[in-house]
């Protein structure tokens, strides 16, 4: 799968430099990126099989638990083109304050 925009994840990790969980966060996101890049999921059920804790919000919007559910990663999928868009990433507490169906990066 193609991930748009990986830079969003790198910047998020960079903002956490100095936090006690920085390396664990970086490792968890790197593992997620590697798994997403090396596979081609055909639908949300494929994603759910690979990531059992992922939350399928709609046929295209999926939320991943990162680093033991400390962080949430909101994505949008276009299964036909094999593209994943990073829509939002933040802590579990921050996630509780957004509308997961409409959130966009930077908003």
């Amino acid at each position: 799968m193609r991930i748009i925009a990986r830079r969003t994840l790198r910047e998020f990790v960079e903002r956490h430099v100095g936090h006690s969980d920085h390396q664990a966060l970086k490792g968890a996101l790197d593992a997620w990126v590697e798994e997403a890049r090396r596979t081609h999921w055909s639908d949300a059920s494929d994603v759910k099989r690979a990531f059992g804790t992922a939350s399928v919000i709609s046929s295209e919007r999926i939320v991943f638990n990162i680093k033991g559910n400390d962080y949430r990663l909101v994505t949008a999928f276009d299964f036909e083109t094999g593209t994943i868009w990073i829509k939002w990433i933040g802590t579990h507490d921050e996630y509780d304050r957004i509308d997961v169906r409409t959130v966009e990066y930077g908003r």
Side-chain angles (χ1 to χ4, degrees), residues 23-66:
Q23 286 301 320
L25 170 61
K26 181 181 183 316
L29 283 173
D30 287 347
W32 180 87
V33 166
E34 183 60 29
E35 175 71 15
R37 280 186 174 166
R38 70 177 176 85
T39 192
H40 183 84
W41 294 303
S42 59
D43 57 30
S45 64
D46 283 350
V47 176
K48 188 70 175 164
R49 277 190 290 279
F51 289 92
T53 61
S55 299
V56 177
I57 305 304
S58 68
S59 61
E60 64 183 37
R61 186 91 28 147
I62 300 174
V63 178
F64 293 89
N65 297 320
I66 302 296

Side-chain angles (χ1 to χ4, degrees), residues 60-78:
E60 64 183 37
R61 186 91 28 147
I62 300 174
V63 178
F64 293 89
N65 297 320
I66 302 296
K67 201 189 135 298
N69 206 21
D70 288 344
Y71 299 92
R72 293 283 181 95
L73 174 62
V74 179
T75 61
F77 277 72
D78 182 334

Side-chain angles (χ1 to χ4, degrees), residues 2 11-12 14 17 41-43 56 62 68 82 85 94 105-106:
R2 183 172 154 223
E11 290 172 353
F12 185 77
E14 287 170 9
V17 169
W41 294 303
S42 59
D43 57 30
V56 177
I62 300 174
W85 284 273
E94 292 167 334
Y105 181 72

